[in-house]
Amino acid sequence: MTHTMRIVAMQKEQIGDLNKTNEPFLLFGRLVPTFHDDVWSFTEELFEMPSETKFPDDRIDCEAYISQPDKIIYLAYADDICIGQIRLVKQWNKYCYVENLAVCQAYRQSGIGRQLFRKAEAWAKERGLLGITLEAQDDNLAACRFYQKMGMALGGVDTMRHAFNLNIDKALFWYLKF
């Protein structure tokens, strides 16, 4: 059975779909960054015991993203079911910041994340932005691998950003320059 796939800018009547993409994901390893001669590199460390986690539901003013020049939420649909989202904001440094990228479990590894990311690239380029940036946690190895596949480079590490969360050691900042 084939699905009709579409990606649309979120409208008021779709606000209820935003958190439908917030499903559990597997933490199976971490990215271990090193900084040497002004260049970031990294290795991977796989966990002996993978675990599942889930981000809390977003509690944002969704209407503030509708029909705005400097922010947008794109939703991906298979037929009429919301299966993915990407939330974008134009930053002060002329980068497009990805606030969130999520795909429902049943649709992961199917190209939906790639399509959403390409939509973000097009949105950023239409606005004359310099590239895309985002934060991923070091223990979300699947996300880190995905961002690498999308051509992003590790541009910085913050060891204090998630000091309150014993599970997250480092916040990793990824960049794609156009």
Side-chain angles (χ1 to χ4, degrees):
M1 182 171 156
T2 52
H3 295 284
T4 304
M5 227 298 280
R6 63 190 168 98
I7 296 175
V8 298
M10 186 179 69
Q11 300 301 313
K12 205 170 192 169
E13 60 273 9
Q14 296 161 317
I15 288 174
D17 289 343
L18 183 70
N19 285 312
K20 290 181 179 176
T21 61
N22 186 13
E23 294 185 344
F25 58 96
L26 194 63
L27 300 177
F28 57 87
R30 79 172 61 247
L31 202 79
V32 181
T34 53
F35 192 65
H36 184 70
D37 291 334
D38 290 335
V39 176
W40 284 104
S41 61
F42 46 83
T43 57
E44 293 182 357
E45 174 186 294
L46 298 180
F47 298 149
E48 278 185 41
M49 294 289 294
S51 62
E52 200 173 71
T53 193
K54 181 182 172 196
F55 288 121
D57 281 349
D58 287 318
R59 300 194 192 293
I60 59 168
D61 178 7
C62 291
E63 289 190 37
Y65 289 79
I66 298 172
S67 301
Q68 297 299 314
D70 292 346
K71 55 173 71 175
I72 194 166
I73 300 172
Y74 286 109
L75 299 175
Y77 287 88
D79 299 323
D80 290 325
I81 299 165
C82 185
I83 59 168
Q85 65 144 300
I86 192 165
R87 192 168 71 233
L88 312 172
V89 175
K90 178 182 173 184
Q91 283 191 314
W92 60 270
N93 61 359
K94 297 199 182 224
Y95 271 83
C96 168
Y97 183 74
V98 177
E99 291 182 327
N100 192 25
L101 171 59
V103 175
C104 291
Q105 286 177 317
Y107 292 89
R108 293 179 190 153
Q109 303 292 318
S110 70
I112 303 302
R114 179 179 297 275
Q115 290 178 53
L116 286 163
F117 193 88
R118 295 293 179 228
K119 194 75 167 169
E121 283 183 89
W123 183 86
K125 287 176 180 177
E126 286 167 11
R127 281 151 186 77
L129 301 180
L130 303 174
I132 294 177
T133 184
L134 56 83
E135 174 200 337
Q137 294 74 39
D138 66 329
D139 67 342
N140 190 349
L141 189 54
C144 292
R145 286 176 175 175
F146 172 76
Y147 299 133
Q148 290 171 65
K149 282 183 193 168
M150 298 311 297
M152 300 190 90
L154 183 61
V157 175
D158 187 335
T159 60
M160 298 295 287
R161 188 171 186 96
H162 297 286
F164 63 89
N165 187 332
L166 299 177
N167 297 317
I168 300 172
D169 190 31
K170 295 172 183 70
L172 308 176
F173 293 90
W174 296 89
Y175 292 86
L176 175 65
K177 294 181 188 177
F178 296 149

